[in-house]
Amino acid sequence: MLGKGVPMNKTRAAKLFKQAADQGLASGQYALGDSYMRGKGVPLEDTRAAKLFKQATEQGLARAQNKLGLCCMLGVGVAHDLADAARYFRLAADQGDADVQCW
């Protein structure tokens, strides 16, 4: 996605993220979810992004737990639910995710 050493191609990056996500890799699920959340290389689809963050969350990826917590807190791609947001933030914080520890 960053184009280091090759021309930047967000569509190609999203396809590679999808391949990784389809193989069950949490980092691929997170990266593809982030692409959908931002509309980078794929259409902007908040609901699809949240589902991918949830898949990565279930594998214990702290940054996905943080992002899913934000989705729940703001009601983006999922129902607004502060209890769920707090639960996901706690999971990420318990793993030492510094970004979420400010929440």
Side-chain angles (χ1 to χ4, degrees), residues 45-95:
E45 293 185 40
D46 296 340
T47 302
R48 196 168 197 180
K51 286 179 184 178
L52 287 157
F53 294 146
K54 177 112 169 90
Q55 290 172 356
T57 289
E58 290 169 352
Q59 294 189 64
L61 188 66
R63 64 183 174 207
Q65 293 163 341
N66 181 6
K67 191 73 83 160
L68 187 56
L70 287 169
C71 289
C72 291
M73 183 175 82
L74 301 172
V76 175
V78 295
H80 178 259
D81 189 325
L82 294 179
D84 275 350
R87 183 167 55 93
Y88 293 124
F89 288 149
R90 171 60 62 193
L91 288 171
D94 287 348
Q95 292 188 70

Side-chain angles (χ1 to χ4, degrees), residues 12-30:
R12 176 78 175 129
K15 286 179 183 177
L16 293 171
F17 296 154
K18 183 173 181 343
Q19 287 178 357
D22 288 347
Q23 292 177 25
L25 298 172
S27 59
Q29 293 161 341
Y30 174 84

Side-chain angles (χ1 to χ4, degrees), residues 31-48:
L32 184 58
D34 195 57
S35 294
Y36 278 111
M37 185 62 68
R38 299 171 186 269
K40 302 277 184 170
V42 292
L44 180 67
E45 293 185 40
D46 296 340
T47 302
R48 196 168 197 180

